[in-house]
PDB file of all heavy atoms in Angstrom:
ATOM      1  N   ILE A 624     122.299  92.640 101.940  1.00  0.00           N
ATOM      2  CA  ILE A 624     122.425  92.070 100.601  1.00  0.00           C
ATOM      3  C   ILE A 624     121.247  91.157 100.260  1.00  0.00           C
ATOM      4  O   ILE A 624     120.845  91.060  99.096  1.00  0.00           O
ATOM      5  CB  ILE A 624     123.752  91.281 100.485  1.00  0.00           C
ATOM      6  CG1 ILE A 624     124.941  92.241 100.620  1.00  0.00           C
ATOM      7  CG2 ILE A 624     123.843  90.538  99.160  1.00  0.00           C
ATOM      8  CD1 ILE A 624     126.275  91.554 100.524  1.00  0.00           C
ATOM      9  N   MET A 625     120.656  90.501 101.255  1.00  0.00           N
ATOM     10  CA  MET A 625     119.651  89.473 101.003  1.00  0.00           C
ATOM     11  C   MET A 625     118.476  89.943 100.144  1.00  0.00           C
ATOM     12  O   MET A 625     118.030  89.206  99.245  1.00  0.00           O
ATOM     13  CB  MET A 625     119.152  88.905 102.330  1.00  0.00           C
ATOM     14  CG  MET A 625     118.204  87.730 102.182  1.00  0.00           C
ATOM     15  SD  MET A 625     118.880  86.399 101.152  1.00  0.00           S
ATOM     16  CE  MET A 625     120.289  85.913 102.136  1.00  0.00           C
ATOM     17  N   PRO A 626     117.912  91.152 100.358  1.00  0.00           N
ATOM     18  CA  PRO A 626     116.801  91.566  99.483  1.00  0.00           C
ATOM     19  C   PRO A 626     117.164  91.581  98.010  1.00  0.00           C
ATOM     20  O   PRO A 626     116.353  91.222  97.152  1.00  0.00           O
ATOM     21  CB  PRO A 626     116.463  92.976  99.996  1.00  0.00           C
ATOM     22  CG  PRO A 626     116.917  92.986 101.411  1.00  0.00           C
ATOM     23  CD  PRO A 626     118.151  92.143 101.432  1.00  0.00           C
ATOM     24  N   PHE A 627     118.405  91.985  97.698  1.00  0.00           N
ATOM     25  CA  PHE A 627     118.834  92.023  96.301  1.00  0.00           C
ATOM     26  C   PHE A 627     119.031  90.609  95.755  1.00  0.00           C
ATOM     27  O   PHE A 627     118.766  90.349  94.583  1.00  0.00           O
ATOM     28  CB  PHE A 627     120.121  92.829  96.182  1.00  0.00           C
ATOM     29  CG  PHE A 627     119.983  94.255  96.632  1.00  0.00           C
ATOM     30  CD1 PHE A 627     120.390  94.640  97.895  1.00  0.00           C
ATOM     31  CD2 PHE A 627     119.409  95.206  95.800  1.00  0.00           C
ATOM     32  CE1 PHE A 627     120.247  95.948  98.326  1.00  0.00           C
ATOM     33  CE2 PHE A 627     119.270  96.521  96.219  1.00  0.00           C
ATOM     34  CZ  PHE A 627     119.682  96.884  97.483  1.00  0.00           C
ATOM     35  N   ALA A 628     119.480  89.698  96.615  1.00  0.00           N
ATOM     36  CA  ALA A 628     119.633  88.302  96.191  1.00  0.00           C
ATOM     37  C   ALA A 628     118.270  87.681  95.892  1.00  0.00           C
ATOM     38  O   ALA A 628     118.109  86.933  94.924  1.00  0.00           O
ATOM     39  CB  ALA A 628     120.350  87.503  97.277  1.00  0.00           C
ATOM     40  N   CYS A 629     117.279  87.998  96.714  1.00  0.00           N
ATOM     41  CA  CYS A 629     115.922  87.488  96.483  1.00  0.00           C
ATOM     42  C   CYS A 629     115.318  88.085  95.216  1.00  0.00           C
ATOM     43  O   CYS A 629     114.545  87.429  94.514  1.00  0.00           O
ATOM     44  CB  CYS A 629     115.031  87.805  97.680  1.00  0.00           C
ATOM     45  SG  CYS A 629     115.503  86.927  99.186  1.00  0.00           S
ATOM     46  N   LEU A 630     115.674  89.333  94.923  1.00  0.00           N
ATOM     47  CA  LEU A 630     115.148  90.012  93.743  1.00  0.00           C
ATOM     48  C   LEU A 630     115.776  89.490  92.457  1.00  0.00           C
ATOM     49  O   LEU A 630     115.198  89.646  91.374  1.00  0.00           O
ATOM     50  CB  LEU A 630     115.388  91.522  93.863  1.00  0.00           C
ATOM     51  CG  LEU A 630     114.786  92.429  92.792  1.00  0.00           C
ATOM     52  CD1 LEU A 630     113.271  92.366  92.824  1.00  0.00           C
ATOM     53  CD2 LEU A 630     115.264  93.863  92.984  1.00  0.00           C
ATOM     54  N   LEU A 631     116.943  88.850  92.571  1.00  0.00           N
ATOM     55  CA  LEU A 631     117.727  88.451  91.409  1.00  0.00           C
ATOM     56  C   LEU A 631     116.925  87.599  90.430  1.00  0.00           C
ATOM     57  O   LEU A 631     116.962  87.811  89.219  1.00  0.00           O
ATOM     58  CB  LEU A 631     118.982  87.691  91.866  1.00  0.00           C
ATOM     59  CG  LEU A 631     119.965  87.266  90.776  1.00  0.00           C
ATOM     60  CD1 LEU A 631     120.556  88.489  90.098  1.00  0.00           C
ATOM     61  CD2 LEU A 631     121.072  86.398  91.378  1.00  0.00           C
ATOM     62  N   GLY A 632     116.177  86.618  90.944  1.00  0.00           N
ATOM     63  CA  GLY A 632     115.433  85.732  90.058  1.00  0.00           C
ATOM     64  C   GLY A 632     113.985  86.125  89.854  1.00  0.00           C
ATOM     65  O   GLY A 632     113.240  85.400  89.209  1.00  0.00           O
TER      66      GLY A 632
END
Side-chain angles (χ1 to χ4, degrees):
I624 295 180
M625 186 53 63
F627 299 99
C629 293
L630 186 64
L631 183 64

